[in-house]
Amino acid sequence: MSTARYILHRFGVAMAYLGLSAWAIGSVIALAKMDADIFHRFGALGVAASVLFFSDRLLKIELGRQRSVERLLHEYGVELAAMRAGTEATKIPEEGYAVDFLTEERNFDRLRQEAAPFNMANVALMSVATLQWGFGDIFMTRLIEAAS
């Protein structure tokens, strides 16, 4: 990875954390101050933070899945080349050409388990932030009226 690409990647990750923090802190402060106009505007920041934060995380998981698929395809190719060279299919493991299906399946399961909580959190944050953005001012107005 080049230096510029590394710096841009780190900048993107920092912006995602900053946006997520700003959304959470700003929403709590606006809620505490009972400021309907500002509260609903922080919903837009929450949507942006959700897109930035979770797209980075899910991209890492997807790249891990692609690496596993590429490794599996490479091993199939090596076995196919060995069979074309005249090695019998039953002799392939003895020659050192073995695809470890169970290890690759465990890698896929690990990636699925890693992606599930991120995906669920992304859907939750995106839903809450979108509702806050669209209806936060109405919610706060009703809350202010109920408190009066």
Side-chain angles (χ1 to χ4, degrees):
M1 181 183 286
S2 71
T3 304
R5 185 178 236 174
Y6 176 78
I7 290 170
L8 288 174
H9 174 73
R10 298 308 303 165
F11 179 73
V13 171
M15 287 293 102
Y17 277 108
L18 181 66
L20 193 61
S21 300
W23 169 75
I25 293 167
S27 294
V28 169
I29 291 171
L31 191 61
K33 288 186 172 185
M34 297 285 200
D35 190 343
D37 190 44
I38 297 297
F39 179 75
H40 97 94
R41 289 173 191 242
F42 272 105
L45 187 59
V47 170
S50 175
V51 170
L52 288 172
F53 189 76
F54 290 105
S55 63
D56 177 60
R57 298 303 170 273
L58 294 174
L59 177 64
K60 286 182 182 179
I61 292 167
E62 176 61 20
L63 290 175
R65 187 192 68 77
Q66 285 179 0
R67 271 192 304 276
S68 291
V69 168
E70 289 169 2
R71 189 176 319 120
L72 198 58
L73 289 174
H74 174 72
E75 291 175 0
Y76 277 133
V78 168
E79 281 191 355
L80 183 59
M83 287 173 43
R84 281 188 176 166
T87 306
E88 293 181 31
T90 56
K91 301 284 185 195
I92 287 177
E94 295 171 8
E95 299 286 326
Y97 304 112
V99 177
D100 191 359
F101 295 108
L102 295 177
T103 299
E104 294 305 323
E105 188 60 36
R106 281 192 297 271
N107 285 341
F108 285 126
D109 285 341
R110 181 186 54 80
L111 289 170
R112 282 186 209 106
Q113 289 173 355
E114 196 175 311
F118 280 118
N119 196 28
M120 192 170 28
N122 186 23
V123 169
L125 176 59
M126 185 70 79
S127 299
V128 168
T130 302
L131 289 172
Q132 179 183 353
W133 189 8
F135 302 103
D137 55 341
I138 297 170
F139 169 75
M140 286 296 292
T141 303
R142 302 269 191 236
L143 194 62
I144 292 168
E145 288 173 359
S148 300

